[in-house]
Amino acid sequence: MTQETKNSILIIGGGLIGLSIAYEFARNNFKVLVLSKNRGESAGFVAAGMLAAHAEGLENELLKFGQASQSLIPKWIKSIEKDSDMKCGLKKCGIVVPFTNKHELEEFPTYKYGSYLNQKDLQTEINGINSIWKYGLLFEQDGQIDNRRRLMRALERACSLHGVKFQEGSEVKDLKIEENKIIGATVLNATGELKKITCDKAILCSGAWSKKIFNKIPVFPIKGQMLSIQGPTNFLKRIIFGPKTYLVPRDDGLIVVGATVEKDSKFQKGNTPYGIKQLQEGIRSLLPEATNWPQMEHWWGFRPCTPDLKPILGESKIENLFLATGHYRNGVLFSAITSDLLLKLVQKKDLKEIEIMFLKKFCLDRFEL
Ligand SMILES: Cc1cc2nc3c(=O)[nH]c(=O)nc-3n(C[C@H](O)[C@H](O)[C@H](O)COP(=O)(O)OP(=O)(O)OC[C@H]3O[C@@H](n4cnc5c(N)ncnc54)[C@H](O)[C@@H]3O)c2cc1C
């Protein structure tokens, strides 16, 4: 086997996780091919971009995973920005979680990581917050990336400059397995031809659609609808993370508003009057003044969810087929650590004790298939 073949890898899915992994492998001298059915449908272009390990109230290994990724992100983003010559909008702006009563605040899973805010503090942190909110927790360590307008594009550019090849509009129809080892895939390409692609290693990163390719994976879609409003620049400095709605202020005053959580939507496309109404009510409940600000865009997407809401990472039961899917609500947050972990696993080196623990907790085998 030549060195070139030995170090090649096929990435199935060019969404946020696929691009993050492609970038990591390419800058570590792998020859990378990304097969992408439709970049436009990727949840990477949908997400609000919150880095909310604490504000999401994650627990146990998921919290540790989020915290570990959060600590990798600044260096990782710096490298993407340098390689792509594009900014990603990373901001440690802090996230405020508001509460109507003290009991809810004290019961919040990540309570001990936040700063306590009484109503006066809350109003100082969040200009114009609805007076129904009496308390808050401020997580200064949380923040955001502008995934939709910046990170996805910067990643694509950085990947291309590192020699990653992309086949956009190419849908993997099935995997070619021989003697329990992946040897390639059948692909329907953008011009409607069925092609066979060979590979000696592959990583499945097909988000909410993963089960369609590898039916042993218990991943299913949870739809989320979003919209944006244009506020005055610098009106809102922190993210507000309410129980049903969050407001994420970008530098230019655009506020990303999310998101519905639709469990039975399957892959039903489009925004709905009910979804938009829920978001508008959410804005009113958090920041009444913002109901007068012009609505800009609305969009939707599919979170890749698993039965226990944790990602599926690592080996599959098929030799040389690796899995990186099921990131559900926190794929932006988890992207840095996922790509780092997958590289170490495939290279079989440098795995630390905590990373071995993550691979154990997030393995496919935890499900009875
Ligand atoms: C409304 C909403 C808000 C969110 N907000 C946040 C947030 O604030 N913070 C956060 O951390 N996370 C957030 N997320 C979650 C995050 O967006 C996802 O976890 C993450 O994008 C998953 O990345 P992925 O690459 O697995 O999937 P995707 O980004 O969806 O990419 C999957 C890609 O695989 C391709 N594909 C599928 N099948 C095939 C096939 N057969 N052949 C080839 N390609 C295929 C698809 O076309 C797609 O481009 C949000 C998600 C949604 C929907």
Side-chain angles (χ1 to χ4, degrees):
M1 201 179 276
T2 65
Q3 187 59 28
E4 198 177 52
T5 341
K6 196 173 151 207
N7 279 339
S8 70
I9 192 128
L10 178 69
I11 308 286
I12 304 172
L16 179 62
I17 298 298
L19 288 177
S20 305
I21 293 177
Y23 174 64
E24 207 54 37
F25 277 74
R27 67 183 180 137
N28 282 281
N29 300 319
F30 274 74
K31 187 180 160 197
V32 183
L33 171 63
V34 177
L35 298 175
S36 157
K37 171 158 66 91
N38 176 2
R39 62 198 283 280
E41 72 186 359
S42 155
F45 279 118
V46 175
M50 286 179 294
L51 305 172
H54 305 90
E56 279 267 351
L58 300 181
E59 293 180 87
N60 306 322
E61 64 270 15
L62 219 47
L63 174 62
K64 289 201 175 87
F65 196 58
Q67 289 172 325
S69 199
Q70 221 149 304
S71 71
L72 294 178
I73 282 174
K75 196 168 163 212
W76 186 64
I77 291 293
K78 208 170 175 186
S79 155
I80 296 167
E81 289 184 337
K82 182 167 172 276
D83 290 352
S84 64
D85 199 19
M86 293 165 82
K87 291 281 175 213
C88 296
L90 173 65
K91 257 200 318 181
K92 203 166 154 188
C93 55
I95 303 186
V96 171
V97 182
F99 299 90
T100 50
N101 69 67
K102 213 171 185 173
H103 177 72
E104 276 173 20
L105 173 140
E106 284 165 359
E107 291 296 302
F108 198 70
T110 47
Y111 170 71
K112 68 172 184 191
Y113 296 97
S115 313
Y116 170 85
L117 306 175
N118 61 25
Q119 192 166 28
K120 192 163 165 271
D121 304 328
L122 191 57
Q123 285 167 350
T124 310
E125 290 297 340
I126 308 283
N127 200 3
I129 192 165
N130 196 323
S131 57
I132 58 169
W133 306 104
K134 308 285 186 221
Y135 305 93
L137 283 174
L138 167 62
F139 297 102
E140 288 201 71
Q141 58 282 60
D142 288 352
Q144 60 167 301
I145 299 184
D146 191 346
N147 54 295
R148 185 168 153 79
R149 295 185 297 178
R150 300 180 179 193
L151 174 65
M152 289 292 283
R153 291 185 170 83
L155 267 172
E156 281 183 354
R157 174 118 184 96
C159 280
S160 296
L161 293 172
H162 276 288
V164 174
K165 299 279 177 261
F166 289 96
Q167 285 186 17
E168 177 55 31
S170 292
E171 178 176 1
V172 170
K173 297 305 262 184
D174 63 30
L175 304 175
K176 291 284 153 220
I177 316 284
E178 258 179 25
E179 294 173 3
N180 203 41
K181 186 172 188 287
I182 185 153
I183 56 160
T186 311
V187 178
L188 181 66
N189 70 16
T191 52
E193 298 149 301
L194 270 184
K195 297 266 182 197
K196 297 222 180 304
I197 289 199
T198 56
C199 69
D200 60 6
K201 283 188 180 67
I203 307 182
L204 190 99
C205 324
S206 316
W209 299 265
S210 298
K211 193 174 168 59
K212 293 190 179 183
I213 308 174
F214 189 56
N215 71 4
K216 288 192 165 52
I217 298 188
V219 170
F220 51 93
I222 294 206
K223 183 173 170 180
Q225 301 188 44
M226 312 269 296
L227 60 79
S228 59
I229 50 180
Q230 183 63 50
T233 322
N234 284 331
F235 184 92
L236 199 58
K237 295 200 172 67
R238 310 258 193 215
I239 294 169
I240 321 178
F241 193 101
K244 283 197 178 147
T245 310
Y246 48 76
L247 307 181
V248 183
R250 305 289 194 224
D251 279 341
D252 54 4
L254 190 80
I255 295 177
V256 175
V257 183
T260 61
V261 179
E262 299 171 49
K263 296 198 168 104
D264 302 316
S265 65
K266 303 214 163 62
F267 285 106
Q268 229 168 64
K269 294 182 180 170
N271 288 102
T272 60
Y274 175 77
I276 297 295
K277 191 163 171 248
Q278 190 183 316
L279 295 172
Q280 284 167 342
E281 281 167 3
I283 299 172
R284 190 184 312 279
S285 79
L286 291 172
L287 201 66
E289 192 175 337
T291 50
N292 297 319
W293 297 344
Q295 190 175 314
M296 307 304 285
E297 287 181 276
H298 48 263
W299 64 97
W300 77 94
F302 302 105
R303 305 173 184 90
C305 191
T306 65
D308 61 6
L309 315 183
K310 294 173 193 164
I312 300 175
L313 302 175
E315 293 175 344
S316 67
K317 290 182 189 306
I318 292 161
E319 201 181 321
N320 284 349
L321 174 66
F322 299 89
L323 309 170
T325 184
H327 291 74
Y328 187 39
R329 298 172 60 94
N330 289 293
V332 182
L333 170 67
F334 295 154
S335 52
I337 193 163
T338 297
S339 53
D340 184 58
L341 203 55
L342 265 287
L343 178 73
K344 288 175 178 166
L345 177 69
V346 171
Q347 288 189 320
K348 294 192 171 74
K349 64 176 191 194
D350 300 335
L351 277 169
K352 296 183 199 121
E353 211 170 293
I354 187 165
E355 294 168 333
I356 294 169
M357 183 277 282
F358 289 142
L359 287 170
K360 260 194 197 145
K361 294 280 182 188
F362 302 143
C363 71
L364 178 64
D365 276 357
R366 71 185 189 269
F367 300 106
E368 279 183 28
L369 301 170

